[in-house]
Amino acid sequence: MNKITIIMGEYPQTCGMKKEPVEWIVLKEEQQRCLCISKYLLDCKPYHDSSKNITWQDCTLRNWLNHDFLMQTFSNEEREKILLSTIENPAENTRDYIFLLSTDEVEELFDDEVEDYVDYEERGAMTTAYARSQGAWFIDENCEEENKGTWWLRYYGDFRDKEEGKYDFICCVNFDGYIERAAQGVEEAGSCIRPAFWLRTD
């Protein structure tokens, strides 16, 4: 998958707190906007701060992404280019600047429809040293997947399942790029965050 990358914003990525430029993969381009996702797994936080059946709309991770992460990572000028977008969810659509991908979006955006090829390598992303210092689970052996971790998706199952908020666990993308449907309890802190956003290009 030969996707272009851009540099935008700054976030801690080494073991210290010093911010460094963030690299983003452009997954999709449309008229006057493009969909970006971080190349690396930037941080490690639970989907929600307690174990309960929860929707994307109400989870604490959504609040953190659209407030703390947005404000701490991007300059005023950069934030003006990040679009407030309608995000489709089974229970209720949300309006977000920063969000997580869903199972359906991962399967669509990381696949080559022409050659019928699934790019598991880019699905399976590397953790940063900072994310590992925050408690991220990762492969710590000398192998091809070394330092790769797991990353949260937006809700459990596919969009057609209509099961959002009925369970206290969420889908994740595994280190090898495969999607684990019931991978983590929402309160567990080992999964990473791979933020996404729509960027204005006009």
Side-chain angles (χ1 to χ4, degrees):
M1 184 171 75
N2 296 317
K3 299 288 188 182
I4 65 170
T5 59
I6 62 172
I7 303 295
M8 184 172 167
E10 292 184 331
Y11 199 77
Q13 293 176 69
T14 58
C15 289
M17 291 300 293
K18 181 182 177 181
K19 293 183 179 181
E20 299 178 62
V22 180
E23 190 170 357
W24 304 88
I25 298 172
V26 176
L27 290 175
K28 186 177 184 179
E29 296 182 67
E30 297 181 351
Q31 187 175 11
Q32 299 182 331
R33 70 174 190 168
C34 64
L35 177 61
C36 303
I37 190 169
S38 64
K39 182 175 182 179
Y40 301 107
L41 306 183
L42 297 178
D43 208 333
C44 171
K45 291 183 180 296
Y47 184 88
H48 193 63
D49 59 8
S50 62
S51 178
K52 63 183 295 186
N53 299 355
I54 193 75
T55 62
W56 165 249
Q57 181 182 23
D58 297 326
C59 75
T60 53
L61 184 52
R62 174 178 177 244
N63 182 71
W64 179 82
L65 284 168
N66 283 277
H67 295 89
D68 300 53
F69 180 80
L70 178 67
M71 298 300 294
Q72 294 172 9
T73 305
F74 303 102
S75 67
N76 290 337
E77 183 179 354
E78 289 170 332
R79 288 197 297 272
E80 289 178 358
K81 297 179 181 179
I82 297 175
L83 296 170
L84 180 60
S85 306
T86 299
I87 307 302
E88 295 184 351
N89 308 296
E92 187 169 349
N93 293 348
T94 55
R95 296 277 287 168
D96 297 321
Y97 290 102
I98 312 292
F99 52 91
L100 305 177
L101 296 186
S102 68
T103 299
D104 306 81
E105 289 164 343
V106 169
E107 291 179 340
E108 172 194 351
L109 297 167
F110 284 92
D111 296 1
D112 189 321
E113 295 181 359
V114 176
E115 299 181 9
D116 193 23
Y117 170 68
V118 179
D119 197 334
Y120 290 110
E121 185 176 351
E122 283 194 341
R123 280 191 189 181
M126 293 283 188
T127 56
T128 62
Y130 177 77
R132 296 193 295 274
S133 75
Q134 299 303 299
W137 178 90
F138 64 98
I139 296 292
D140 60 355
E141 301 174 357
N142 292 322
C143 61
E144 289 184 4
E145 287 82 18
E146 185 177 17
N147 290 334
K148 285 190 173 182
T150 62
W151 47 286
W152 292 113
L153 295 181
R154 200 162 67 244
Y155 48 79
Y156 171 80
D158 302 320
F159 189 85
R160 64 180 178 272
D161 291 338
K162 303 296 183 184
E163 293 177 330
E164 186 186 4
K166 294 184 178 180
Y167 305 101
D168 61 356
F169 46 80
I170 298 291
C171 292
C172 292
V173 176
N174 207 356
F175 70 92
D176 55 10
Y178 285 85
I179 295 172
E180 300 286 348
R181 289 179 65 86
Q184 295 283 340
V186 297
E187 81 289 356
E188 295 184 41
S191 281
C192 291
I193 303 163
R194 198 174 186 185
F197 60 85
W198 282 100
L199 179 68
R200 194 178 73 238
T201 58
D202 57 350

